[in-house]
Amino acid sequence: MPTLAVTVTEFSRSLSDFLRQVQYHGQVLDIARGKRVIARVSPVAVADGFPIDQLDAFFANGPKLDADRETMAKDINDTRSQLRSRSSHWRG
């Protein structure tokens, strides 16, 4: 989507409409005073989850569970005890 150039006056008079375009349509605005661009309004880049193309690397480089059941159970219990040690109003 090409950048939309607007004057300060246009931007101030239609602020809500311009911000709606930025939020819902990904529009980028260049705001000009005279012939000079003084500001740019653009959508905030928000990470939406984990990129699927990086899952293989995540699992390949992540922690490994021991094949031994007792060691695995100990690892799980150690992790649970660390979670319980944090204070939270949700836990009794």
Side-chain angles (χ1 to χ4, degrees):
M1 175 175 292
T3 301
L4 179 63
V6 298
T7 66
V8 171
T9 303
E10 291 170 325
F11 185 70
S12 65
R13 287 183 181 161
S14 302
L15 177 64
S16 182
D17 292 332
F18 283 124
L19 292 180
R20 191 174 301 112
Q21 288 179 39
V22 171
Q23 181 179 5
Y24 295 112
H25 302 290
Q27 180 67 59
V28 177
L29 305 173
D30 277 350
I31 303 169
R33 176 171 281 144
K35 294 185 180 191
R36 191 169 142 231
V37 174
I38 61 167
R40 174 170 280 172
V41 179
S42 63
V44 176
V46 178
D48 288 328
F50 194 84
I52 192 104
D53 61 338
Q54 295 179 17
L55 279 178
D56 286 340
F58 175 78
F59 287 120
N61 299 322
K64 306 289 186 249
L65 294 175
D66 196 306
D68 177 34
R69 287 182 183 189
E70 291 176 17
T71 304
M72 185 173 165
K74 180 184 176 309
D75 290 344
I76 291 170
N77 288 331
D78 288 347
T79 302
R80 284 183 178 159
S81 68
Q82 290 174 11
L83 292 174
R84 284 192 207 117
S85 67
R86 296 182 183 164
S87 63
S88 172
H89 66 278
W90 294 104
R91 295 186 191 103

